[in-house]
Amino acid sequence: MSGLFLFSKTMETIKHLQENVEITLPENGLEEKLAHTQRQNRKLIIKLGFDPTAPDLHLGHAVVLKKIKQFQELEHKIVIVVGSFTAQIGDPTGKNKSRKPLNAAEVQHNAQTYINQLSKVIDVSQAQIVFNSNWLDQLPFSAIIQLLSKVTVAQLLQRNDFNKRLKENTPIAIHELVYPILQGFDSVQINCDIEMGGTDQLFNCAMGRHLMEAHDLSPQIVMCMPLLKGLDGKEKMSKSLNNTIGLTDTPNDMFGKTMSIPDDLILEFLELTTDFSSTQKKEFKSCLEKGENPMNLKKVIAKNIITQYHSAEEAEQAESFFKNQFQSQRFEDKSFVSVNISSLQTEGETLSLLQLCHQLRGKVTKSEIRRLIESGAVRINNIKTTDPYLLLFPTNHTKIQIGKRDCYELV
RNA sequence: GGGGGUGUACCAGAGUGGCCAAAUGGGGCAGACUGUAAAUCUGCUGACGUACGUCUUCGGUGGUUCGAAUCCAUCCGCCCCCA
């Protein structure tokens, strides 16, 4: 009786852990690993690797992290591998131009910011953090050759990315080919049970399996989470595509960005970025099918996201800010950033609209500002003004709106 | 080692002596319409200058020329073929 109960409990756990996972390699691997480690009376060791190159985490990363968190809640052990070695070589993925290699201090610094951000989702204090330069730096060339001998060119060319580039005659540097092998070698060093990543990591993770077997270790399970699409609804969320919601974005930004996703993306966001229960998710879905305005579900999602990374209170505030700033037609509802008149550089008493906007916006060229004004993006006290050279006497309570977002009030 | 090709703005891709700050498409920005959605329409998309204009830009450098993305020399990157 109790055996049956335990069994169904285990099945439930597995189902929960498999939720939203796009690829598991091998398919029933998780079940077997769990049974295996239970027999050994130990917890799973789960590897999560990252390169400390661009230290800004976004909701796309969080998809994997949230899954890691589920494992952590069951007290499995997380090992975070900082690719300190690989980062110093440079990131080989895609067509990124040769990134300048990072020095040790930069790697350290990036790793730290990364880890700080990880702690927004997972419990870093319960995770083990290791740097792969610890072992890769030590590797004598003979050992490297030996490692390389375990992988064939044909195996490497199976990777879509390489295959495609080969066909298209775009260059592939040798170190790029070696990269997956190094990543796989990390798994050998850690002897992990599972490696976790986005589906774009499938090949590299599979390489880990291969190399572990070649080193007489039990190969890791590979679990790949789907890649979250970015705000454009087309490409994957990625900092270089400038379509991300960052984990450290302000509540207002998170809200606005979420509202701007295309409707097609709502279900994906509901599934991958929120922490609603699956029952709640189903309810929301059926509301949508019944003809609920998608906008409302977006608001729910936005608030849920903000609650996760900030607080419920700030989520509410962000919503009312959004309503006033963007949904309300009334100029007075918008919130204006106060700008001290004395901080403005004037020519005598006056300055042109161009100069004023340039000073308010900052870090933008004057040509850009001129275009904005001429294209009708600027309002003074709610009056659209398209003459960049309109002379202004800056006076108290003058309100300037530039584009949809930026509103200023002179004080 | 030999032969051929190629390198243009965020990306793709025209341009092969002046009319080129460089066609076209994508992307991006702004406006109209909206739900900061989609679709659609319009404008903009090197910098500085209120026009006329000036300056920087077509892999790097140096030349020819009144004038060069365009011609020449040289160097660099990449690709292909042969060895």
Side-chain angles (χ1 to χ4, degrees):
Chain A
M1 187 68 188
S2 75
L4 192 64
F5 173 75
L6 270 178
F7 177 73
S8 73
K9 177 99 178 144
T10 310
M11 289 315 284
E12 209 175 286
T13 307
I14 288 174
K15 197 180 160 198
H16 181 55
L17 291 175
Q18 287 281 7
E19 192 184 22
N20 282 336
V21 174
E22 190 160 319
I23 303 167
T24 309
L25 210 71
E27 226 163 280
N28 56 351
L30 180 61
E31 209 175 325
E32 285 179 6
K33 271 286 181 195
L34 272 170
H36 180 69
T37 50
Q38 253 160 30
R39 262 181 265 122
Q40 294 182 334
N41 200 22
R42 66 176 180 90
K43 290 295 185 177
L44 293 168
I45 298 170
I46 298 158
K47 171 192 171 194
L48 170 71
F50 70 86
D51 268 5
T53 39
D56 277 306
L57 292 184
H58 51 68
L59 290 183
H61 297 111
V63 173
V64 178
L65 297 178
K66 286 153 81 77
K67 181 54 67 181
I68 294 263
K69 187 186 182 183
Q70 287 179 2
F71 279 92
Q72 210 171 25
E73 278 162 357
L74 298 167
E75 289 171 14
H76 295 294
K77 189 178 160 199
I78 311 300
V79 180
I80 298 167
V81 183
V82 180
S84 47
F85 181 87
T86 27
Q88 292 185 61
I89 297 171
D91 186 346
T93 326
K95 40 190 162 180
N96 290 341
K97 288 176 188 153
S98 58
R99 211 172 265 181
K100 68 168 184 192
L102 301 172
N103 65 39
E106 287 168 322
V107 167
Q108 190 62 43
H109 174 260
N110 286 354
Q112 194 52 54
T113 27
Y114 227 98
I115 289 162
N116 290 346
Q117 291 177 63
L118 287 179
S119 70
K120 284 185 169 286
V121 185
I122 64 175
D123 184 353
V124 174
S125 69
Q126 293 302 309
Q128 188 189 347
I129 299 168
V130 294
F131 289 74
N132 71 358
S133 47
N134 279 356
W135 50 84
L136 290 176
D137 274 345
Q138 314 299 325
L139 228 49
F141 197 61
S142 56
I144 296 171
I145 296 295
Q146 203 172 18
L147 177 64
L148 295 181
S149 73
K150 300 190 189 304
V151 182
T152 67
V153 172
Q155 279 174 318
L156 288 173
L157 290 181
Q158 276 177 16
R159 179 164 138 170
N160 276 345
D161 181 46
F162 289 148
N163 208 331
K164 199 173 141 205
R165 283 161 70 189
L166 196 66
K167 278 181 188 153
E168 288 173 359
N169 293 333
T170 45
I172 304 170
I174 299 291
H175 76 280
E176 299 186 62
L177 292 173
V178 175
Y179 189 88
I181 301 175
L182 296 183
Q183 184 173 332
F185 187 65
D186 289 346
S187 297
V188 174
Q189 286 297 309
I190 295 167
N191 194 10
C192 46
D193 299 299
I194 301 181
E195 177 161 11
M196 210 82 163
T199 48
D200 56 344
Q201 290 295 313
L202 175 63
F203 181 85
N204 293 356
C205 295
M207 185 57 70
R209 279 175 63 78
H210 173 73
L211 288 177
M212 287 173 92
E213 273 185 302
H215 286 82
D216 292 321
L217 297 171
S218 164
Q220 63 186 3
I221 305 303
V222 178
M223 291 180 83
C224 294
M225 299 302 292
L227 296 180
L228 181 68
K229 287 210 182 79
L231 301 178
D232 51 63
K234 290 169 196 153
E235 309 281 346
K236 69 171 181 181
M237 189 174 279
S238 135
K239 197 174 180 221
S240 56
L241 295 171
N242 197 23
N243 63 1
T244 65
I245 298 179
L247 299 191
T248 56
D249 279 356
T250 63
N252 287 346
D253 278 348
M254 282 185 169
F255 202 100
K257 286 181 178 181
T258 307
M259 292 310 287
S260 78
I261 62 169
D263 286 0
D264 294 346
L265 218 56
I266 291 178
L267 290 183
E268 187 173 325
F269 264 58
L270 177 68
E271 202 57 62
L272 298 178
T273 69
T274 65
D275 60 3
F276 293 119
S277 70
S278 42
T279 335
Q280 283 172 305
K281 286 177 184 172
K282 269 180 205 153
E283 277 171 30
F284 286 130
K285 264 186 226 174
S286 73
C287 278
L288 201 59
E289 279 157 17
K290 281 178 200 148
E292 173 78 41
N293 185 344
M295 179 187 64
N296 293 326
L297 184 49
K298 278 204 241 180
K299 284 184 177 171
V300 171
I301 293 172
K303 279 196 279 185
N304 181 278
I305 291 171
I306 297 167
T307 305
Q308 288 177 68
Y309 300 105
H310 296 279
S311 68
E313 204 187 341
E314 287 165 289
E316 291 298 329
Q317 286 167 4
E319 182 178 25
S320 63
F321 174 82
F322 180 82
K323 279 181 183 157
N324 287 330
Q325 193 76 354
F326 302 112
Q327 295 198 301
S328 168
Q329 299 297 323
R330 300 196 316 162
F331 192 68
E332 317 82 73
D333 285 344
K334 306 198 185 301
S335 67
F336 295 85
V337 177
S338 297
V339 175
N340 221 313
I341 293 180
S342 59
S343 69
L344 296 173
Q345 292 181 352
T346 54
E347 288 170 26
E349 295 282 292
T350 62
L351 77 174
S352 67
L353 182 59
L354 177 68
Q355 287 171 310
L356 178 62
C357 292
H358 184 61
Q359 288 181 43
L360 292 174
R361 258 282 171 95
K363 63 170 182 178
V364 193
T365 63
K366 282 189 185 163
S367 303
E368 257 174 280
I369 295 289
R370 180 195 322 251
R371 277 180 229 125
L372 274 175
I373 297 173
E374 284 172 351
S375 64
V378 173
R379 285 170 178 271
I380 304 171
N381 292 330
N382 204 17
I383 296 163
K384 188 183 279 191
T385 312
T386 53
D387 175 13
Y389 300 103
L390 183 72
L391 274 187
L392 301 169
F393 298 87
T395 52
N396 232 357
H397 305 306
T398 304
K399 290 177 172 169
I400 316 279
Q401 179 177 6
I402 308 173
K404 282 178 203 154
R405 293 179 194 77
D406 294 343
C407 298
Y408 305 91
E409 177 173 9
L410 302 184
V411 290

